[in-house]
């Protein structure tokens, strides 16, 4: 169990479509170790989630977890640790909100990304059991961000207006308050 190196934008592995994991592979020590390391790496970096290709493994596995008062995203309500294997996500309606996002593989940049506010997620957990869940609000956005990674998509690809891009420092100085107000309205409505 250890944190692995997170690759950054420009590394080709972030642009590949990751492949499905077989049940046999999922049971292997190698893949179980990878899942443990994804969790450790995400926690060490204070991320809201991490996809396997962000540590160089092109398998369809991601972890999502938001703890109380995450220092990178203090406005996100907690999400219990969720390991998703071979996930499939679909919007439940057309409504989107512009969410200000960052990414551990895109250092020091944030931008506004349209995300569906209600999604269905089907996946296997690390033991291979099937799950089907509905996620709403900011949590729905977090899942869309992580599952995008598995298709080689970064949040930057979905930024509609590049003028919303900011460094983390300038976000804090000029954009944080307006976004926190919008985020609070989403959380009030969906509880997540
Ligand atoms: Zn990311």
């Amino acid at each position: 169990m250890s944190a692995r190196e997170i690759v950054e934008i420009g590394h080709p592995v972030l642009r590949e479509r990751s492949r499905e994991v077989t049940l046999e592979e999922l049971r292997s020590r190698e893949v179980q170790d990878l899942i443990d390391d994804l969790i450790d790496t995400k926690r060490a970096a204070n991320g809201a989630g991490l996809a396997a290709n962000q540590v160089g493994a092109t398998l369809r596995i991601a972890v999502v977890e938001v703890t109380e008062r995450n220092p990178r995203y203090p406005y996100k309500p907690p999400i219990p640790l969720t390991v998703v294997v071979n996930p499939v996500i679909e919007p439940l309606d057309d409504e989107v909100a512009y969410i200000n996002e960052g990414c551990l593989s895109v250092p020091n940049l944030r931008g506004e990304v349209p995300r569906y506010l209600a999604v269905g997620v089907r996946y296997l957990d690390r033991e291979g059991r099937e799950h089907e869940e509905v996620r709403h609000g900011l949590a729905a956005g977090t899942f869309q961000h992580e599952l995008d990674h598995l298709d080689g998509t970064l949040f930057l690809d979905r930024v509609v207006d590049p003028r919303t891009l900011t460094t983390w420092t300038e976000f804090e100085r000029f954009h944080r308050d307006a976004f926190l107000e919008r985020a609070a309205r989403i959380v009030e409505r969906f509880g997540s």
Side-chain angles (χ1 to χ4, degrees):
M1 271 45 78
S2 53
R4 299 194 190 184
E5 187 193 341
I6 297 174
V7 300
E8 296 180 344
I9 183 167
H11 195 301
V13 83
L14 291 172
R15 294 311 196 172
E16 276 179 43
R17 184 191 183 279
S18 295
R19 67 170 180 82
E20 273 75 14
V21 182
T22 67
L23 277 177
E24 193 183 343
E25 283 174 320
L26 183 55
R27 289 188 197 108
S28 70
R29 165 63 68 84
E30 194 187 348
V31 170
Q32 290 294 322
D33 284 351
L34 168 65
I35 291 170
D36 286 334
D37 288 356
L38 284 172
I39 296 166
D40 288 350
T41 307
K42 186 211 75 73
R43 287 177 176 166
N46 290 317
L50 191 69
N53 60 340
Q54 291 182 275
V55 299
T58 51
L59 295 174
R60 297 186 84 76
I61 301 173
V63 299
V64 172
E65 180 189 45
V66 176
T67 51
E68 202 76 48
R69 299 207 166 274
N70 175 295
R72 277 168 65 88
Y73 307 104
Y75 47 85
K76 288 193 187 205
I79 303 174
L81 175 65
T82 310
V83 176
V84 297
V85 178
N86 299 341
V88 178
I89 191 165
E90 55 176 2
L92 299 180
D93 57 47
D94 290 337
E95 189 182 2
V96 298
Y98 281 80
I99 311 278
N100 191 284
E101 293 190 7
C103 178
L104 293 171
S105 292
V106 182
N108 202 17
L109 208 55
R110 302 182 63 132
E112 301 271 323
V113 184
R115 294 293 188 190
Y116 293 107
L117 287 169
V119 294
V121 189
R122 274 189 296 124
Y123 63 92
L124 303 178
D125 63 25
R126 65 184 300 172
E127 276 86 41
R129 291 180 298 239
E130 287 181 32
H131 294 258
E132 194 161 357
E133 297 168 356
V134 174
R135 300 281 181 165
H136 284 110
L138 298 182
T142 302
F143 276 84
Q144 286 164 80
H145 177 114
E146 298 313 325
L147 273 51
D148 266 353
H149 275 299
L150 305 181
D151 292 322
T153 298
L154 297 173
F155 83 89
L156 290 174
D157 310 345
R158 297 197 185 274
V159 169
V160 175
D161 181 357
R163 289 174 302 181
T164 65
L165 293 171
T166 67
T167 64
W168 283 64
T169 302
E170 304 301 2
F171 172 76
E172 290 289 327
R173 282 175 70 192
F174 296 110
H175 306 281
R176 178 181 165 276
D177 292 348
F179 176 63
L180 257 57
E181 221 168 273
R182 280 160 45 215
R185 283 201 296 273
I186 293 172
V187 173
E188 201 173 305
R189 187 172 149 203
F190 294 104
S192 58

